[in-house]
Amino acid sequence: MKRAVLYLRVSTQDQTTANQERELREIASRMGCDIVKVYKDHGISGAKGRDKRPAFDALCRDATKRQFDMVMAWSVDRLGRSLQDLIAFLSELHALGIDLFLHQQGLDTTTPAGKAMFQMLGVFAEFERAMIQERVRAGLARARSEGKQLGRPKIPEKTERAVQATLSRKDRPGLRKIAADLGIGVGTVQRISNELPRPFDSDTVSAAVV
C-alpha cells in the first residue's frame, strides 16, 4: 500500500479546504493508498514562495526524508502559481521517486501516461535551466562589448599604491593589519601581493644551476 499525503491550499481565509480533502480521501481509498499526513496552507496565495507557505515547506522537507510515496493535490495551481517554482518542485519529486496525483488535471504518475508526463516535466526543467544559463552568458557578453567592468569595482589607484608600498617594506605588517589600516578587504591585499614581482634571489638561482 502506497503512503500518500495530501496538500491542500486556499488563498483566502473565508475559503475552506474541506471539499478538497473529502474528495481526495475518497480517491485515495479507491486507489488503495494510505493517507499518512495532510498538509494545509490556509489563506496563503500560491504565488508566494516556499518560505511563505509553512505547510508546503514541511511537505518538501519530509519528501527529502522519503516519508511518503505519493503527493495528492486537488489541482496543479494548489501546488503553486510560479511556473519556475512548480517545475522545480515536480522535478524534485521525480528525482526522489515520489509519485504525484493531480485530480483536476487527471495526472497520475503511477500510470504509464503519468510517468511519461513526469519525464516531459524533467525535460522542460532542463530546458529552462539551459535558457537561464544562455541568457546570463548573453548578458555578460553584451556588457563586455559595451565596455562595462564586470565583478567588484577596483579600489582607487592611490589606495593600491599604498598597499604596494606597504607590502614592499622589509618590516611590513600582516595582510589583515594592512587591510584594516586602509579600510579594504584582506582578499584585495592578497591579490595585490600576488601581482607584485618577486625579489631576485641569487642563492636560489645558484642552487638551481648547480
Side-chain angles (χ1 to χ4, degrees):
M1 181 177 287
K2 277 186 174 290
R3 300 168 300 163
V5 297
L6 307 184
Y7 178 69
L8 314 172
R9 184 186 64 78
V10 288
S11 299
T12 61
Q13 291 291 342
D14 57 348
Q15 292 176 309
T16 177
T17 60
N19 294 335
Q20 297 177 36
E21 183 172 357
R22 182 178 62 253
E23 190 148 357
L24 288 173
R25 283 187 177 277
E26 291 174 0
I27 294 169
S29 178
R30 292 198 298 269
M31 293 173 65
C33 295
D34 178 28
I35 296 177
V36 295
K37 195 168 183 178
V38 178
Y39 301 87
K40 299 180 182 180
D41 277 322
H42 198 87
I44 301 176
S45 169
K48 293 186 179 296
R50 170 178 164 177
D51 58 326
K52 298 294 193 302
R53 291 191 283 161
F56 185 70
D57 181 56
L59 183 152
C60 293
R61 284 187 280 107
D62 290 345
T64 61
K65 300 173 187 174
R66 302 181 187 275
Q67 293 187 1
F68 46 80
D69 307 307
M70 174 183 278
V71 175
M72 302 182 70
W74 173 259
S75 175
V76 67
D77 63 358
R78 298 301 90 193
L79 298 174
R81 297 187 183 278
S82 164
L83 180 60
Q84 186 174 348
D85 292 344
L86 182 60
I87 289 179
F89 172 67
L90 298 180
S91 298
E92 185 176 357
L93 288 187
H94 184 52
L96 292 168
I98 296 174
D99 285 309
L100 177 68
F101 178 86
L102 299 174
H103 178 52
Q104 289 295 89
Q105 285 72 37
L107 177 66
D108 178 3
T109 62
T110 63
T111 66
K115 288 183 185 299
M117 180 61 71
F118 230 172
Q119 291 170 354
M120 286 302 297
L121 288 171
V123 171
F124 286 130
E126 182 61 33
F127 175 73
E128 184 179 29
R129 283 192 292 270
M131 289 295 293
I132 291 173
Q133 291 171 358
E134 182 61 30
R135 285 196 293 268
V136 170
R137 285 194 292 267
L140 292 174
R142 184 176 64 253
R144 290 192 190 97
S145 68
E146 294 173 354
K148 293 181 180 178
Q149 181 180 325
L150 302 177
R152 292 182 178 180
K154 287 187 175 182
I155 62 173
E157 187 177 344
K158 181 180 178 180
T159 305
E160 185 155 350
R161 285 200 301 268
V163 175
Q164 292 170 344
T166 307
L167 288 170
S168 300
R169 285 163 37 191
K170 291 183 178 180
D171 60 337
R172 75 177 195 179
L175 300 186
R176 292 182 183 278
K177 179 70 166 56
I178 298 173
D181 289 346
L182 296 173
I184 57 177
V186 177
T188 301
V189 179
Q190 182 65 62
R191 174 185 62 79
I192 297 172
S193 175
N194 293 338
E195 292 172 354
L196 286 176
R198 298 301 174 190
F200 182 77
D201 190 338
S202 58
D203 294 337
T204 303
V205 173
S206 300
V209 171
V210 174

